[in-house]
């Protein structure tokens, strides 16, 4: 949510408003962006799997058309969510990030995980419902810890084989059942680089809709151990001096914020603000 964008459960039976369409290649866009007059968009030959009322943008209702396949709409193209995260209006990115998470979840919860029968949308809360089991499934959110480990002027950064060439980032990993945030952080750092940490401090959080992570960001100090990289997960890990940093993650990511915040504090510069 943001100043311009708030989530809400809106009944698709009501008419009007804006709509976004999401297919396998991302969101439908034209020169004005990804928001289209809903009645116009629904007249296009789109292969709609489901429709969801997702919230308000500048006070106007917004709906998501989740598509089975990418079709052709004259004058329009497709744009992935990552592009919206990297550049352009952040409120629009927040709206589309939410739409993507709702679309993914609804697509993956069409059938009851308990009995296998078709589920239906309910319109007073964000849930899919199985009448047979009286079971509700809510949108999936996966808590992930992300941590900048520091040792004075040095910060510990690593590369996953999945990263853009040359980029180094903070360590991250998904929480497992039974863990606290701190347990998870200590385990992930141990698994990925075999380092021990102390003085864990919570910094802030960020929704990361790729596809449904909730990043909880921390700072921790080095407490011991030599770097041993986890095979397959970590391609390289090093201590970098704050004056000689490698290519870093995208400006709006919490990974980048954790790095920029520490460097600013170390160098006595103004502190950056985490994009909400
Ligand atoms: N916003 C940021 O700045 C930022 C930076 C780094 C990582 N991330 C995100 O943090 C998350 C975790 O990072 P990671 O990839 O290093 O995780 P990780 O170290 O836990 O390893 C990834 C592996 O975890 C497993 N996995 C996938 N989804 C899972 C889930 N929902 N629950 C449990 N295990 C799962 C898979 O085997 C996958 O290969 C990812 O979503 C990643 O995109 C965000
Ligand atoms: Mg990881
Ligand atoms: Zn069921």
């Amino acid at each position: 949510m943001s100043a311009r964008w708030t989530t809400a459960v809106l009944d698709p039976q009501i008419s009007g408003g804006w709509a976004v369409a999401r297919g396998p290649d991302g969101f439908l866009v034209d020169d004005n962006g990804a928001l289209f007059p809903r009645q116009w968009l629904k007249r296009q030959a789109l292969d709609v799997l489901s429709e969801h009322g997702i919230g308000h943008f500048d006070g106007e209702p917004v709906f998501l058309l989740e598509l089975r396949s990418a079709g052709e709409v004259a004058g329009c193209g497709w744009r992935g969510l990552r592009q919206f995260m990297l550049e352009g209006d952040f409120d629009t990115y927040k709206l589309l990030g939410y739409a993507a998470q709702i679309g993914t979840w609804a697509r993956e919860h069409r059938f009851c995980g308990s009995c296998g029968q078709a589920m239906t949308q309910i319109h007073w809360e964000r849930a899919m419902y199985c009448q047979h089991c009286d079971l509700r499934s809510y949108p999936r959110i996966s808590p992930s810890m992300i941590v900048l480990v520091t040792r004075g002027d040095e910060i510990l950064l690593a590369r996953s084989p999945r990263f853009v060439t040359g980029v180094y980032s903070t360590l991250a990993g998904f929480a497992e059942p039974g863990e606290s945030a701190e347990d998870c952080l200590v385990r992930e750092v141990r698994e990925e680089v075999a380092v021990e940490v102390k003085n864990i401090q919570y910094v802030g959080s960020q929704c990361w809709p790729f596809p449904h992570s909730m990043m909880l960001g921390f700072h921790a100090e080095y407490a011991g151990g030599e770097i041993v990289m986890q095979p397959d997960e970590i391609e390289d890990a090093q201590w970098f001096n704050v004056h000689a940093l490698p290519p870093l993650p995208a400006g709006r990511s919490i990974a980048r914020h954790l790095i920029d915040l520490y460097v600013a504090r170390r160098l006595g510069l103004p502190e950056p603000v985490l994009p909400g």
Side-chain angles (χ1 to χ4, degrees):
M1 298 215 247
S2 67
R4 301 181 66 193
W5 162 243
T6 49
T7 62
V9 183
L10 307 176
D11 190 337
Q13 297 304 321
I14 65 174
S15 62
W18 297 102
V20 299
R22 192 182 79 122
D25 303 324
F27 288 92
L28 188 73
V29 287
D30 69 4
D31 292 343
N32 296 316
L35 282 163
F36 295 86
R38 178 168 169 237
Q39 297 315 121
W40 178 85
L41 195 61
K42 290 184 78 166
R43 286 198 300 273
Q44 309 308 305
L46 292 167
D47 188 11
V48 178
L49 175 67
S50 58
E51 182 172 14
H52 307 268
I54 58 173
H56 295 97
F57 193 73
D58 288 340
E60 294 293 322
V62 181
F63 295 80
L64 161 69
L65 302 184
E66 177 73 8
L67 309 179
R68 278 188 204 87
S69 59
E72 287 274 326
V73 181
C76 297
W78 300 93
R79 197 164 187 236
L81 183 60
R82 255 175 212 278
Q83 273 320 110
F84 289 95
M85 185 271 293
L86 290 170
E87 60 200 14
D89 167 45
F90 199 69
D91 295 291
T92 302
Y93 163 65
K94 295 290 288 178
L95 183 168
L96 298 178
Y98 182 73
Q101 291 198 69
I102 297 309
T104 301
W105 158 77
R107 174 187 294 278
E108 294 174 355
H109 290 81
R110 285 182 292 154
F111 300 96
C112 175
S114 183
C115 77
Q117 290 195 23
M119 297 185 102
T120 52
Q121 270 187 58
I122 53 178
H123 298 303
W124 61 92
E125 64 174 356
R126 185 74 58 200
M128 297 291 281
Y129 180 64
C130 174
Q131 204 166 12
H132 184 251
C133 302
D134 192 27
L135 183 76
R136 290 181 202 176
S137 290
Y138 296 95
R140 180 174 174 191
I141 299 172
S142 303
S144 308
M145 304 315 126
I146 182 158
V147 58
L148 179 69
V149 181
T150 67
R151 185 169 73 182
D153 266 352
E154 292 179 313
I155 68 176
L156 179 51
L157 301 178
R159 269 192 59 71
S160 144
R162 299 184 290 273
F163 287 2
V164 176
T165 311
V167 169
Y168 283 75
S169 186
T170 49
L171 301 173
F174 293 101
E176 291 179 2
E179 285 183 330
S180 67
E182 293 80 1
D183 290 341
C184 169
L185 186 161
V186 167
R187 175 183 55 73
E188 283 290 342
V189 175
R190 241 178 230 157
E191 282 176 5
E192 296 191 347
V193 291
V195 159
E196 299 299 320
V197 295
K198 63 181 182 188
N199 297 339
I200 298 168
Q201 297 285 333
Y202 176 70
V203 175
S205 68
Q206 182 179 59
C207 156
W208 192 245
F210 303 101
H212 38 59
S213 291
M214 145 83 91
M215 307 306 301
L216 303 179
F218 294 85
H219 171 247
E221 290 173 17
Y222 170 80
E226 289 296 317
I227 295 174
V228 180
M229 289 178 281
Q230 182 179 27
D232 303 328
E233 280 293 315
I234 304 293
E235 189 176 88
D236 191 29
Q238 297 179 34
W239 291 102
F240 291 94
N241 191 284
V242 291
H243 295 284
L245 295 173
L248 298 174
R252 287 166 168 180
S253 66
I254 191 167
R256 181 60 175 269
H257 176 74
L258 295 172
I259 298 167
D260 287 351
L261 180 65
Y262 186 73
V263 171
R265 285 181 179 166
R266 211 65 205 166
L267 303 183
L269 300 171
E271 293 188 4
V273 176
L274 174 62

